[in-house]
Amino acid sequence: MMPFKIDILWTDAVFFVLLASIFILIFFQRKQMKHARWTQVFKNKVGMSSAVVLFFYLCIAFLDSLHFRPELSQRLPNQETLYATQVESVLDLILSPLDVQMETTYAAPFATTSFAEEPHLVQGQVVYDFEPLRYTAEHIPPDTPTLTEISHIMRAALPLTGLLTAVTLVVIFFLVTLGSPTRIKALFIRIIRPAPRGVCWRTFMITWVLMLFLCTTLYYLSRHYHIFGTDKIGQDVFYQAVKSIRTGVMIGTLTTLVMLPFALLMGTLAGYFRGVIDDVIQYTYMTLSSIPGILLIAASVLILEVFMNQHAQWFASTAARADARLFALCVILGLTSWTSLCRLIRAETLKLRELDYVLAAQALGVRNLMIILKHIFPNLLHIILITIVLDFSGLVLAEAVLSYIGVGVDPSMQSFGNMINSARLELAREPTVWWPLAAAFIFMFVLVLAANLFADTVRDALDPRKAG
Amino acid sequence: MWAYIIRRILYAIPILIGVNLLTFLLFFVVNTPQDMAVVHLGDRYVTQEAIDRWIVTNGYDKPTFYNPKAQGIDKISDTLFYQQSMRLFTFNFGTSDTGREIGHDISERMWPSLALAIPSLLLGLGLNVMLALLMVLFRGTQIDTWGVTICVALMSISGLFFIITGQYVLAKLFKWVPISGYESGLSAIKFLALPVLVSVIAGIGSGVRWYRTLFLEEINKDYVRTARAKGLSDIAILFKHVLKNALIPILTGVVVLIPSLFLGSLLLESFFAIPGLGSYTIDAIRAQDFAIVRSMVFLGSVLYILGLLLTDISYTLVDPRVRLN
Amino acid sequence: MTEPILTVKHLRTYLPSAQGLVRAVDDVSFTIARGQTLALVGESGSGKTITAHSIAQLLQEDVCYGENSQILLGDIDLLRLPEVAMRQIRGRRIGVIFQEPMTSLNPVFTVGEQIIEVLRLHTTLSRRARNHRAMELLHAVGIADVKQCMQDYPHQLSGGMKQRVMIAIALAGEPDLLIADEPTTALDVTIQAQVLSVLQKIQQELSMGILLITHDLGVVAQVADQVAVMYAGQIIEYAPSTVFFANAQHPYSQRLFESLPSLNKRNYLLDMIPGHVPSLIDPPPGCRFAARCRYAWDVCETQLPALTSTGAQQVRCHLYTKEQPLTHLPVSEKQVVMEKVITESHTLLSVQDLTVHFPIRRGLFKRVVGLVKAVDGVDLSVQAGETLALVGESGCGKTTVAKSLLNLVPATSGKVVYLDQELTHHKQDLRKFRSHLQIIFQDPFASLDPRMSVTDIIAEGLLAQRLVASDKARLEIVNRLLQQVGLPLGSAVRYPHQFSGGQRQRIAIARALAVSPQMIICDEPTSALDVSVQAQIVNLLKNLQQELGLAYIFISHNIAVVSYLADRVAVMYLGRIVEEGRAQQVLATPKHPYTQGLLQSVPEVGGGHKILAPVQGELPSPAHPPKGCHFSPRCPHVMPICRQSYPPKAVIDGQMVKCYLYIES
């Protein structure tokens, strides 16, 4: 009997399906990959390093998507195991005890005492004093200078960095070379002396090691300090920022994924068959796209809220509820944004269907369905891929705005939008509480920047016409 | 030409009906009036009577699409759909859940929205085109590379940060402008300066990059080679030949936005407490005032379709290839 | 000989690319004198356009030139001139005409503005004088309604008109040298003839030097005084035009001539040049043509021959560098005889009164206000095993005929009967007839799906027609077909982008053959290919016909290819067939004035300088065909009746012709 119960939320399931399909695709296409144009992305230094950064974000999101409910110590009278109502993820497990609220209110980054003087009773008298923080007090010997301690911790993190680097690189190199000694040798030559138009293995190595170092150091530091301080109710801000990653990544990936089948089907049908089908589909997306996106999203989310309130009994836990809302938000965002992709696909299909190789297939008597599957779809792939990566960063940014307006993810969910939303008034305080905003800014900026840079290289690789 | 415009307007009607139907389904069918009443009155301590009364006073008690009890044309018109949705076509928005006349609110609040949106658009457009031209002129050099890098970095920052930092630095630290608020007349300038600045800066990243791509696409066309063969200088080619061609997509891209400027900016207006339509919408969303949200959705679609129409007309004005066909 | 305007000495132009430095032009020297035309001839990739652009300094900034390279315009070395000074040369002393008139004009300025721009830049004329001068220029290039044209935007003009405007722009600065980069390649023969005659007339008036870049030996024969043949970045033969056409000496030049199709080679296979142009990134150390040359011996592989003078001409070949120049080249192996025998003959396909109309919609409710009559009553019949050529200018509807025969474009009316079975109205059973009738397209780059392997492409028809059950059998068929069209067996697993244009066309032919058709419609299958590759494809088609007894409908505007391949010829003009008959007859004694004009417009390699532009004007729009005979506005023999009604069929000596000249009134 396991001491926990696996809990797969809606977004988890879709996310896993997405990851699985990517792996399957890569596995089955590995022969053709050498010639595929998108591999150009990895021959570009910027593309390679942004891909590595995105990969780390994806890993965090993945760890945060492995949900379970721990077993409780109490049992039912009939000896049946009880599980907590609180859903936790593997990431929580790694970061614990950061997920528990520890301080009473604000604490600055790397502080050992509270941010404001706090009243407490000393011999019957109210005295205002800086309180030592509970969390740091547990882990840090008193009266050590912070910088010395930090460098101490960073040094302590090095062995783990080294170990992780060694293990991961061995695994990756094995996967790439499949253990063939000549290929391993070639790979090492590439790392030492990069070929002018080869895959940027050296850039990969550097970024990979740097990211690993960053992760382990932050992890070690978070064992001792509140790296980004704490918020008003004493929650660790670093923890919040890390937890927000999953929300951003989910919105960025699932939204496009949800709309993809619609857009693809509608776009190709309209473009290939034209006539009445085309009129109906064009009318549908004209109607949808003529409503300003943010208003349609707002209206839909409002309705969704009412709907979920009316059917509160459907959701087992608050996490399930928040997750259902996240998933619904992805669907809503997808519904409002499929129109542009659909339009693109329709236009491209119109062009493709007039091409000689499609005419040749028609002349050979190939059925329309087969023409769509064999000739149209494969030649639309680059548009779809470009759209997916281009939309990602926009959606992460949109989440923040929507949450600010009040139509984003559930307020109980950790997200960049919710973090900014609650942090913006803190700037007005004296003295200024800047760290929650800074944390959200840094984590989000790195994610979006990496996504933008990656998208640029993907677009350049797949669509040389639009280079620039 | 006129036949074309009239046809476009006729095309717009079924689309608006579609928009109307969609919002109606969203607001009245997914959730029943009963659900909405509960939202507004709270689900505790409320009697069925109070709910019924709320439904009747708001006119939500009629049949959805077809009223079998009514006579003649009223079979259609005396229904929830007709009463609530079709009247929007006459720009009769009805009253909000708090009992205010929506049409009146809109006509009052659109002016501050315009006062913010128009200068933002014009300044942003001018600055973006200038910067893009500069980068294209120095294409292939460090200036271009750094320009693109800065643009991508700017694009990666959420607009919220620009607003919050702008308010913090310029208003709170330097005290150059008020943090938020609005006054009509000339004194509006000091309230608008910061939001306009923020909106321009937030738009630079994507704007400059987009225009740069447009210019680069033009600069690789054959007619540029012809112009070079004539002996024109690079600057003359860029400012005369390339700019005139690229301005067509740029201008028509802006024209589609013009009508929607009335709607204002949700974010800026709410952060800077400007009493425009954007903050009106946000307040309505937060107060779950469905009547206002519905009106704004409809108004937004009308303005967008108007924008598309204006785009088509402006194409025929600026592009000889369209005009003379 | 007058003083030279342009002297190019040891020009080397290297272009950086992703794969390395491309030696696009490698030691090229020539001179052009005032009033002279030098034709730079070569196949695609030979470096002729780069040479031209080097002279006008129109290449990107990252190009490198050789150290001892010189381009002397008069006594100015253009390669050492700063860009600011170069601007005074471009447009003023060097005018340039480009290949694509469609895109070379700025779409948002009027024609007048674009000409006046040059005048403002390079002359001191007043505003009024500039306007006047611009009109003069337009008049000089043969534009009739000059005032209207000044106000027109480029998209309102036809291709020929645009190219005339381009010439006017290039002439505006009264240049000493005119560079014409494939000026007529994008135009129809009749328009090409008109444009070439304009160029010739103006050259005589202004006594400019012209550098003509072209791949068309016929055009060269017509207008050039001097010829320089380029191969792989080098000039391999440099001679006065008459000498060159009488006695080309370089093996490459000779084989180019031999690979040209013509009427009198009908019964032989064309000579083909095997192999392809070497890479210019890493060119071979010896003669660049050595690998493809039938005379090559070991010196050719190792030592680059110099350009050697052999009397009137210069040749870059070891055959001529020996002490004892060879007077006669070793005779090539005898041409293969291919006499065509049609054993049994029955009608395979007959088309009656086929029309394809596209509606034009206008107004408030998009009413149909007119019809583009792309195909307007076409009768055809094709016998088993024969080749019917459909000839005409672009826009005459010949491609639409092809597509509607296969129902790729629905026919508006008319009957297509294939072996007693009507195809037009049986959409359901059409699929099984698909295997009988196949098509090959013009553009070898658009006709193959880039994401399918060659095997998948060729087997597509087998799968669709369910002709073969097992994968193994299918692969066998694919391999057999690859062999049949002359592709290496390893091709099967590769993708289209790994093949050259000619090879792709072979794949397309294999795909069509896979379903064992009895008839193939070839829609300009060679017009995108170089002459030497064209010969390969034409030979292949001829061989396949012999082996398999195929019938072809061969659609082309290339009279030479048609005269080589066709058994019968049908000439189309504006949606209708105006003349039809046996190929030898129609091509030798054309009856219809249009056919006569068309054939005279074709520049002939052996023809020398001849009177050009026998057909005036341009093809009218098929939306508004002229009243009466469609050709009447352009016809030199027009009679009053021609403007009133369309002439009926007349049959003279077995030739069908629709013209009132042949109808006894």
Side-chain angles (χ1 to χ4, degrees):
Chain A
M1 200 65 197
M2 286 181 294
F4 57 86
K5 189 171 150 191
I6 294 172
D7 214 18
I8 297 180
L9 301 176
W10 266 95
T11 47
D12 298 341
V14 183
F15 189 58
F16 294 152
V17 169
L18 173 70
L19 291 180
S21 47
I22 289 175
F23 276 117
I24 292 170
L25 211 66
I26 290 178
F27 185 76
F28 281 107
Q29 295 283 305
R30 64 186 190 284
K31 287 244 175 71
Q32 277 104 315
M33 261 181 8
K34 265 202 183 129
H35 303 294
R37 274 187 294 167
W38 61 263
T39 51
Q40 294 289 326
V41 173
F42 299 107
K43 297 180 179 174
N44 179 310
K45 281 182 189 163
V46 178
M48 182 54 115
S49 46
S50 53
V52 171
V53 173
L54 280 181
F55 178 78
F56 274 83
Y57 270 92
L58 272 182
C59 282
I60 293 175
F62 176 71
L63 288 178
D64 205 8
S65 299
L66 298 169
H67 284 114
F68 63 92
R69 284 193 274 168
E71 194 184 296
L72 290 180
S73 45
Q74 307 105 303
R75 294 192 165 218
L76 280 181
N78 58 1
Q79 287 302 303
E80 205 175 307
T81 330
L82 264 182
Y83 296 99
T85 47
Q86 192 74 29
V87 180
E88 285 188 41
S89 72
V90 172
L91 187 74
D92 292 325
L93 215 59
I94 295 171
L95 289 178
S96 80
L98 286 181
D99 53 339
V100 191
Q101 178 205 338
M102 277 163 290
E103 315 302 338
T104 45
T105 180
Y106 294 116
F110 292 108
T112 47
T113 55
S114 65
F115 181 59
E117 290 168 276
E118 277 172 35
H120 51 112
L121 283 172
V122 177
Q123 293 163 348
Q125 286 214 307
V126 179
V127 178
Y128 282 85
D129 197 6
F130 291 105
E131 277 278 280
L133 292 177
R134 250 180 272 164
Y135 184 62
T136 42
E138 262 175 48
H139 299 95
I140 309 253
D143 303 326
T144 354
T146 312
L147 277 179
T148 329
E149 187 59 31
I150 288 176
S151 66
H152 216 84
I153 297 169
M154 282 170 79
R155 227 171 298 142
L158 282 179
L160 183 64
T161 312
L163 183 73
L164 281 177
T165 309
V167 171
T168 49
L169 287 184
V170 163
V171 170
I172 289 170
F173 288 168
F174 182 80
L175 283 179
V176 171
T177 58
L178 297 172
S180 135
T182 47
R183 282 199 223 163
I184 291 178
K185 199 179 154 201
L187 187 64
F188 277 103
I189 290 170
R190 275 295 134 72
I191 292 169
I192 296 159
R193 212 177 319 120
R197 277 170 314 281
V199 175
C200 302
W201 283 111
R202 185 195 273 189
T203 315
F204 167 79
M205 284 275 289
I206 294 171
T207 327
W208 186 266
V209 173
L210 274 180
M211 283 305 287
L212 269 180
F213 176 69
L214 199 67
C215 287
T216 45
T217 313
L218 284 176
Y219 175 74
Y220 266 71
L221 285 173
S222 76
R223 304 290 87 201
H224 300 80
Y225 288 105
H226 297 297
I227 302 176
F228 280 106
T230 60
D231 70 354
K232 192 172 183 180
I233 54 164
Q235 271 271 14
D236 187 85
V237 173
F238 173 70
Y239 172 76
Q240 288 179 4
V242 174
K243 289 286 282 183
S244 299
I245 289 172
R246 176 178 182 268
T247 316
V249 169
M250 287 294 168
I251 293 215
T253 49
L254 298 194
T255 301
T256 327
L257 193 76
V258 164
M259 71 165 180
L260 206 58
F262 279 111
L264 191 59
L265 191 71
M266 301 280 225
T268 34
L269 287 184
Y272 190 78
F273 290 106
R274 299 193 289 191
V276 183
I277 299 178
D278 189 19
D279 289 343
V280 171
I281 291 172
Q282 274 202 69
Y283 170 74
T284 315
Y285 72 61
M286 271 301 287
T287 305
L288 265 178
S289 67
S290 66
I291 304 174
I294 198 152
L295 286 177
L296 184 59
I297 294 165
S300 313
V301 173
L302 279 187
I303 298 304
L304 176 79
E305 244 171 51
V306 175
F307 187 80
M308 283 173 64
N309 278 333
Q310 296 298 314
H311 302 278
Q313 71 281 5
W314 288 4
F315 309 105
S317 60
T318 46
R321 189 192 147 91
D323 181 78
R325 176 159 167 163
L326 175 65
F327 186 66
L329 186 69
C330 291
V331 174
I332 290 169
L333 278 168
L335 277 182
T336 53
S337 61
W338 70 278
T339 53
S340 60
L341 181 62
C342 183
R343 199 185 298 246
L344 269 179
I345 289 179
R346 174 180 169 272
E348 189 69 16
T349 311
L350 276 177
K351 247 185 275 163
L352 287 175
R353 78 187 293 280
E354 298 296 330
L355 280 183
D356 288 348
Y357 60 79
V358 174
L359 292 181
Q362 282 170 352
L364 286 166
V366 181
R367 281 156 211 278
N368 285 330
L369 181 69
M370 286 311 281
I371 291 182
I372 291 179
L373 286 179
K374 282 182 127 175
H375 294 290
I376 308 280
F377 277 178
N379 286 294
L380 289 172
L381 264 180
H382 69 282
I383 294 187
I384 294 169
L385 213 60
I386 291 175
T387 309
I388 290 176
V389 290
L390 273 186
D391 281 0
F392 180 86
S393 57
L395 288 165
V396 175
L397 292 176
E399 184 275 326
V401 172
L402 291 179
S403 295
Y404 166 75
I405 295 173
V407 292
V409 296
D410 196 89
S412 72
M413 194 164 209
Q414 309 283 11
S415 85
F416 293 126
N418 285 338
M419 275 181 83
I420 298 170
N421 200 8
S422 55
R424 70 193 178 91
L425 290 175
E426 286 161 358
L427 278 188
R429 286 177 54 99
E430 286 296 344
T432 312
V433 174
W434 50 269
W435 48 88
L437 194 69
F441 174 81
I442 293 169
F443 273 77
M444 200 168 159
F445 179 70
V446 172
L447 174 62
V448 177
L449 185 66
N452 274 333
L453 292 173
F454 185 69
D456 270 9
T457 42
V458 169
R459 191 186 48 186
D460 290 352
L462 295 182
D463 192 2
R465 195 168 46 84
K466 276 197 182 142
Chain B
M1 180 69 192
W2 279 108
Y4 177 72
I5 293 175
I6 292 171
R7 196 172 70 241
R8 289 305 308 260
I9 292 173
L10 289 182
Y11 273 159
I13 292 173
I15 289 179
L16 282 177
I17 292 177
V19 169
N20 228 324
L21 195 65
L22 192 78
T23 43
F24 179 78
L25 289 177
L26 208 58
F27 282 94
F28 290 100
V29 180
V30 175
N31 293 306
T32 57
Q34 169 91 20
D35 296 339
M36 283 193 290
V38 173
V39 170
H40 278 273
L41 303 172
D43 50 0
R44 277 168 223 175
Y45 321 117
V46 67
T47 56
Q48 187 59 40
E49 265 168 57
I51 290 176
D52 290 342
R53 206 174 327 117
W54 187 87
I55 290 176
V56 173
T57 43
N58 282 282
Y60 295 159
D61 57 336
K62 298 202 162 59
T64 319
F65 287 108
Y66 180 74
N67 189 349
K69 289 183 214 135
Q71 294 300 311
I73 192 77
D74 281 352
K75 274 186 192 296
I76 307 286
S77 66
D78 193 26
T79 57
L80 198 53
F81 179 62
Y82 191 85
Q83 295 287 321
Q84 293 296 325
S85 276
M86 296 311 280
R87 63 151 195 242
L88 292 175
F89 276 102
T90 60
F91 294 99
N92 173 7
F93 296 112
T95 56
S96 70
D97 289 349
T98 51
R100 288 173 61 94
E101 186 76 26
I102 297 176
H104 179 253
D105 277 354
I106 289 178
S107 66
E108 215 166 52
R109 280 175 158 250
M110 67 188 213
W111 301 113
S113 282
L114 285 178
L116 170 59
I118 291 177
S120 307
L121 179 78
L122 293 182
L123 287 176
L125 180 69
L127 187 68
N128 291 350
V129 170
M130 293 285 282
L131 289 175
L133 276 174
L134 206 68
M135 278 162 63
V136 171
L137 196 60
F138 290 100
R139 64 186 179 282
T141 66
Q142 291 285 313
I143 296 179
D144 188 30
T145 319
W146 279 104
V148 175
T149 314
I150 293 171
C151 281
V152 177
L154 281 176
M155 276 169 69
S156 309
I157 299 174
S158 167
L160 294 168
F161 287 111
F162 287 116
I163 300 176
I164 295 171
T165 350
Q167 275 184 332
Y168 181 72
V169 175
L170 295 186
K172 193 180 168 210
L173 289 187
F174 295 154
K175 301 207 166 35
W176 287 348
V177 286
I179 289 183
S180 64
Y182 188 73
E183 280 169 25
S184 55
L186 270 182
S187 50
I189 293 174
K190 69 169 188 258
F191 289 101
L192 289 177
L194 182 56
V196 168
L197 181 74
V198 166
S199 129
V200 168
I201 291 178
I204 282 182
S206 52
V208 170
R209 238 168 69 102
W210 168 235
Y211 294 147
R212 176 179 168 276
T213 319
L214 280 182
F215 289 138
L216 283 182
E217 219 165 80
E218 287 296 325
I219 221 161
N220 287 323
K221 290 198 173 158
D222 285 352
Y223 69 80
V224 172
R225 192 179 55 186
T226 310
R228 294 224 311 143
K230 283 176 177 177
L232 286 170
S233 67
D234 272 4
I235 295 181
I237 292 172
L238 191 62
F239 280 85
K240 191 175 173 194
H241 288 261
V242 172
L243 188 61
K244 191 163 179 189
N245 275 282
L247 271 184
I248 292 171
I250 292 177
L251 282 183
T252 45
V254 167
V255 166
V256 72
L257 296 177
I258 289 176
S260 307
L261 291 181
F262 282 99
L263 291 180
S265 153
L266 262 58
L267 277 190
L268 286 171
E269 288 180 16
S270 109
F271 263 101
F272 291 98
I274 292 163
L277 282 179
S279 52
Y280 186 59
T281 315
I282 259 199
D283 293 344
I285 292 170
R286 290 188 172 151
Q288 302 201 323
D289 193 327
F290 294 110
I292 297 179
V293 176
R294 226 151 39 83
S295 306
M296 294 308 291
V297 166
F298 183 75
L299 190 63
S301 325
V302 172
L303 292 174
Y304 178 76
I305 290 170
L306 189 65
L308 288 183
L309 183 64
L310 289 180
T311 308
D312 285 343
I313 295 173
S314 67
Y315 255 118
T316 62
L317 292 180
V318 294
D319 192 337
R321 282 161 295 188
V322 180
R323 178 177 30 175
L324 297 167
N325 266 337
Chain C
M1 198 158 136
T2 52
E3 30 83 57
I5 300 171
L6 181 78
T7 311
V8 174
K9 285 184 188 163
H10 309 296
L11 177 66
R12 292 173 205 270
T13 309
Y14 294 173
L15 303 167
S17 80
Q19 282 75 40
L21 208 56
V22 180
R23 303 173 173 209
V25 180
D26 210 356
D27 196 10
V28 161
S29 309
F30 56 81
T31 59
I32 299 175
R34 196 165 276 285
Q36 248 200 0
T37 303
L38 171 76
L40 212 50
V41 197
E43 296 185 278
S44 48
S46 60
K48 52 193 195 303
T49 294
I50 306 285
T51 308
H53 285 195
S54 303
I55 294 166
Q57 298 273 293
L58 286 173
L59 296 164
Q60 295 296 317
E61 278 152 23
D62 48 5
V63 62
C64 351
Y65 296 103
E67 258 177 38
N68 61 346
S69 300
Q70 275 188 323
I71 299 174
L72 297 170
L73 184 74
D75 45 15
I76 311 165
D77 187 352
L78 301 183
L79 286 179
R80 277 142 195 95
L81 215 54
E83 172 64 19
V84 182
M86 193 60 214
R87 271 183 227 143
Q88 293 302 312
I89 305 278
R90 278 190 221 116
R92 173 74 191 84
R93 298 197 57 197
I94 300 179
V96 189
I97 311 168
F98 298 101
Q99 174 174 4
E100 278 297 331
M102 305 297 164
T103 53
S104 290
L105 293 170
N106 192 328
V108 298
F109 289 101
T110 62
V111 165
E113 286 167 335
Q114 301 194 46
I115 300 175
I116 288 169
E117 186 176 34
V118 187
L119 296 171
R120 199 166 43 224
L121 210 59
H122 296 299
T123 65
T124 52
L125 296 174
S126 70
R127 215 180 123 85
R128 281 186 55 139
R130 282 199 297 255
N131 216 2
H132 187 73
R133 177 78 186 121
M135 296 215 266
E136 271 178 18
L137 283 164
L138 284 178
H139 187 75
V141 295
I143 282 172
D145 192 350
V146 169
K147 278 212 172 112
Q148 178 61 45
C149 185
M150 287 282 285
Q151 252 118 82
D152 279 343
Y153 285 92
H155 73 272
Q156 292 168 290
L157 306 176
S158 67
M161 293 271 272
K162 276 185 204 155
Q163 200 58 301
R164 286 167 199 261
V165 171
M166 272 304 290
I167 297 174
I169 289 175
L171 294 178
E174 295 175 15
D176 304 320
L177 174 71
L178 184 70
I179 298 176
D181 183 3
E182 305 256 13
T184 57
T185 305
L187 306 175
D188 277 312
V189 268
T190 57
I191 310 298
Q192 160 170 296
Q194 293 170 9
V195 168
L196 288 179
S197 77
V198 165
L199 272 180
Q200 257 179 340
K201 187 189 96 196
I202 286 167
Q203 183 181 27
Q204 277 159 14
E205 283 166 15
L206 301 175
S207 79
M208 301 176 295
I210 294 184
L211 175 64
L212 178 76
I213 315 290
T214 184
H215 67 279
D216 187 337
L217 287 170
V219 171
V220 177
Q222 263 186 354
V223 297
D225 302 305
Q226 301 274 323
V227 181
V229 183
M230 282 191 79
Y231 182 81
Q234 297 179 323
I235 289 181
I236 50 110
E237 183 155 7
Y238 184 31
S241 178
T242 43
V243 177
F244 176 73
F245 283 100
N247 179 23
Q249 292 192 325
H250 196 283
Y252 173 67
S253 316
Q254 292 174 340
R255 300 198 75 167
L256 270 187
F257 282 115
E258 282 164 27
S259 61
L260 284 178
S262 71
L263 196 60
N264 49 21
K265 293 183 193 165
R266 279 176 71 87
N267 294 334
Y268 306 99
L269 275 187
L270 292 175
D271 188 42
M272 305 187 284
I273 309 178
H276 39 80
V277 186
S279 151
L280 292 179
I281 292 170
D282 187 21
C287 172
R288 298 202 173 161
F289 188 61
R292 306 172 74 183
C293 184
R294 62 168 86 117
Y295 311 118
W297 69 94
D298 39 1
V299 188
C300 301
E301 309 278 341
T302 52
Q303 199 184 330
L304 184 66
L307 205 55
T308 330
S309 198
T310 63
Q313 63 214 92
Q314 292 177 305
V315 187
R316 193 188 281 277
C317 181
H318 283 301
L319 284 174
Y320 304 93
T321 54
K322 291 194 225 158
E323 316 297 291
Q324 204 77 50
L326 293 172
T327 41
H328 286 289
L329 289 173
V331 185
S332 62
E333 57 268 39
K334 190 66 205 142
Q335 288 163 309
V336 186
V337 184
M338 288 277 304
E339 213 139 5
K340 188 161 162 183
V341 193
I342 298 175
T343 44
E344 44 122 22
S345 176
H346 58 275
T347 305
L348 208 56
L349 182 86
S350 79
V351 178
Q352 283 146 39
D353 205 24
L354 182 74
T355 61
V356 182
H357 293 178
F358 301 109
I360 310 168
R361 295 170 193 277
R362 285 255 171 74
L364 189 53
F365 295 104
K366 290 263 176 196
R367 275 173 301 120
V368 177
V369 294
L371 291 172
V372 175
K373 297 176 178 174
V375 178
D376 196 21
V378 161
D379 299 327
L380 284 175
S381 80
V382 185
Q383 307 289 308
E386 79 163 351
T387 303
L388 170 73
L390 208 53
V391 180
E393 292 174 279
S394 53
C396 73
K398 51 194 195 300
T399 296
T400 314
V401 169
K403 289 184 177 168
S404 69
L405 287 182
L406 289 167
N407 213 3
L408 298 175
V409 170
T412 311
S413 68
K415 259 164 81 173
V416 178
V417 179
Y418 178 83
L419 286 178
D420 308 329
Q421 184 81 28
E422 198 183 321
L423 297 187
T424 17
H425 302 296
H426 293 85
K427 300 242 160 78
Q428 302 320 107
D429 334 323
L430 194 59
R431 181 162 293 128
K432 60 175 183 278
F433 280 93
R434 292 285 193 197
S435 64
H436 296 265
L437 262 164
Q438 275 303 306
I439 184 164
I440 301 165
F441 294 97
Q442 171 178 7
D443 182 359
F445 290 86
S447 64
L448 305 178
D449 188 337
R451 299 195 185 263
M452 282 168 89
S453 71
V454 171
T455 311
D456 290 342
I457 289 171
I458 296 177
E460 190 173 18
L462 296 175
L463 277 173
Q465 296 287 340
R466 306 214 169 97
L467 292 177
V468 186
S470 75
D471 284 358
K472 203 171 150 237
R474 202 176 303 129
L475 280 180
E476 266 167 27
I477 292 178
V478 169
N479 283 336
R480 199 198 70 221
L481 286 166
L482 283 174
Q483 215 170 0
Q484 202 164 20
V485 298
L487 284 171
L489 281 183
S491 313
V493 291
R494 301 208 283 167
Y495 285 82
H497 69 92
Q498 295 167 297
F499 295 90
S500 68
Q503 289 173 317
R504 282 157 170 258
Q505 207 60 296
R506 288 170 192 267
I507 299 171
I509 293 172
R511 170 176 61 191
L513 290 178
V515 291
S516 334
Q518 294 186 303
M519 178 169 174
I520 297 181
I521 298 172
C522 307
D523 186 4
E524 309 243 16
T526 62
S527 64
L529 306 174
D530 278 321
V531 183
S532 60
V533 185
Q534 167 176 293
Q536 299 172 3
I537 299 298
V538 167
N539 276 349
L540 176 64
L541 288 174
K542 202 149 190 158
N543 266 330
L544 289 172
Q545 185 165 50
Q546 196 86 339
E547 272 174 48
L548 308 170
L550 293 170
Y552 292 134
I553 293 184
F554 194 87
I555 293 168
S556 182
H557 64 269
N558 187 332
I559 303 290
V561 177
V562 166
S563 63
Y564 174 74
L565 270 181
D567 299 310
R568 282 190 304 126
V569 172
V571 183
M572 258 188 106
Y573 188 79
L574 217 61
R576 295 186 186 175
I577 289 175
V578 294
E579 182 162 3
E580 196 200 326
R582 289 174 44 75
Q584 285 98 324
Q585 243 181 336
V586 173
L587 297 174
T589 56
K591 295 280 189 291
H592 197 284
Y594 174 65
T595 318
Q596 293 167 352
L598 188 68
L599 292 178
Q600 280 171 38
S601 302
V602 179
E604 263 177 63
V605 171
H609 296 233
K610 66 176 179 183
I611 304 150
L612 293 155
V615 182
Q616 297 304 313
E618 302 190 2
L619 193 71
S621 156
H624 307 284
K627 202 165 173 289
C629 173
H630 291 166
F631 189 59
S632 59
R634 302 170 77 185
C635 183
H637 310 294
V638 64
M639 299 179 287
I641 189 167
C642 302
R643 299 215 168 89
Q644 280 155 20
S645 63
Y646 200 87
K649 273 185 201 174
V651 179
I652 297 168
D653 311 333
Q655 244 164 295
M656 188 283 286
V657 57
K658 287 178 189 162
C659 179
Y660 280 115
L661 286 176
Y662 304 96
I663 288 166
E664 310 288 329
S665 54

